[in-house]
Amino acid sequence: MPEKFTDKRILRTKRLIRDALTELMEEKGFEGITVRDLTEKAGINRGTFYLHYHDKFDLLEQSEAEILNEIKKIALEINPTVFMNFNSENEPFPFIVNLFEYFHENSSFMKVILGPKGDASFQGKMKDFIKETFYNNIMSKINRENMLVPVDDLFAYVSSAHLGVIQHWLESGMEKSPQEMAMILSRITLLGPRHVMGLKKM
């Protein structure tokens, strides 16, 4: 059997299993799921499941790792110099557009995993990713002595605020397009709350 066909079949099977995990987590939460539930929902046998995963915990861990790896690949496209000097008044930063497009493509899993029945530890991993991206592309390029607030507090605010916007978008049915959400987040991030609220300087 050709290797490419085998790889595609494996990817298809793993996608079926992840889709089953997504649906079941939405229905009953992760703790209530069994391997039997997963195989019945995915339409596969237990042997096929165990070819790819040790148990449901391994399935969740691998699924989250795949999502994070893809997000990190998108982050590699950022040019820190362009990021620092980008004018977000009229157009969103390209990286953020790509990020929201990826979330949209994987919205079912993202909505569940970041929702009330999801995995709190994954939210922590997402916050760590945001902090790392923010540090690599902004904080490492500025003079911290000029900062008005402690770095750790800024990191906590940025990571929680960004994740909150993403969660709200997913939970509200993604009424706005990835481009619209990227514009909103670009403005908030790079212009600041006071500017986007239309408030003049005191």
Side-chain angles (χ1 to χ4, degrees):
M1 185 178 296
E3 186 176 342
K4 286 186 177 179
F5 181 80
T6 302
D7 290 342
K8 286 183 178 180
R9 190 173 68 175
I10 291 172
L11 289 173
R12 180 179 176 277
T13 299
K14 295 182 78 171
R15 186 61 189 239
L16 284 173
I17 298 171
R18 195 177 87 179
D19 288 347
L21 173 67
T22 300
E23 291 182 39
L24 289 167
M25 284 182 69
E26 193 166 18
E27 290 174 14
K28 58 174 69 177
F30 182 72
E31 294 304 321
I33 298 173
T34 64
V35 171
R36 181 176 180 178
D37 293 332
L38 290 163
T39 55
E40 289 181 353
K41 178 72 75 172
I44 61 172
N45 59 48
R46 291 172 68 89
T48 300
F49 177 88
Y50 287 119
L51 276 175
H52 305 291
Y53 308 104
H54 299 303
D55 50 33
K56 68 175 186 177
F57 299 100
D58 184 38
L59 165 60
L60 181 63
E61 185 177 344
Q62 286 195 42
S63 298
E64 292 177 348
E66 287 170 8
I67 292 290
L68 282 170
N69 286 337
E70 290 302 315
I71 292 173
K72 288 177 179 179
K73 286 180 184 177
I74 295 172
L76 292 176
E77 300 170 4
I78 300 175
N79 182 324
T81 302
V82 174
F83 192 80
M84 288 291 291
N85 298 292
F86 190 76
N87 183 349
S88 57
E89 288 273 5
N90 302 310
E91 61 179 315
F93 192 68
F95 154 69
I96 302 180
V97 175
N98 294 338
L99 197 61
F100 272 102
E101 286 179 343
Y102 181 75
F103 290 153
H104 190 274
E105 292 169 6
N106 296 273
S107 58
S108 296
F109 182 75
M110 295 300 300
K111 180 181 178 181
V112 171
I113 205 68
L114 291 174
K117 294 182 180 180
D119 181 8
S121 69
F122 183 74
Q123 296 185 29
K125 293 172 185 176
M126 281 291 294
K127 287 182 180 180
D128 288 341
F129 160 74
I130 294 170
K131 290 176 184 177
E132 180 182 346
T133 303
F134 188 67
Y135 175 80
N136 290 339
N137 296 284
I138 297 181
M139 293 306 301
S140 61
K141 310 295 185 297
I142 67 174
N143 185 352
R144 296 193 184 189
E145 294 181 1
N146 296 330
M147 291 184 60
L148 302 179
V149 298
V151 173
D152 290 345
D153 293 321
L154 178 62
F155 276 7
Y157 168 78
V158 169
S159 60
S160 295
H162 281 58
L163 185 60
V165 170
I166 294 166
Q167 289 173 308
H168 174 70
W169 178 62
L170 291 167
E171 291 167 4
S172 61
M174 299 179 296
E175 295 178 356
K176 293 182 176 64
S177 69
Q179 290 74 19
E180 289 174 308
M181 288 306 303
M183 185 75 260
I184 291 170
L185 200 55
S186 293
R187 285 174 171 168
I188 295 173
T189 303
L190 302 176
L191 299 178
R194 174 178 288 277
H195 189 104
V196 299
M197 289 170 66
L199 298 176
K200 296 180 180 180
K201 292 183 178 180
M202 300 295 289

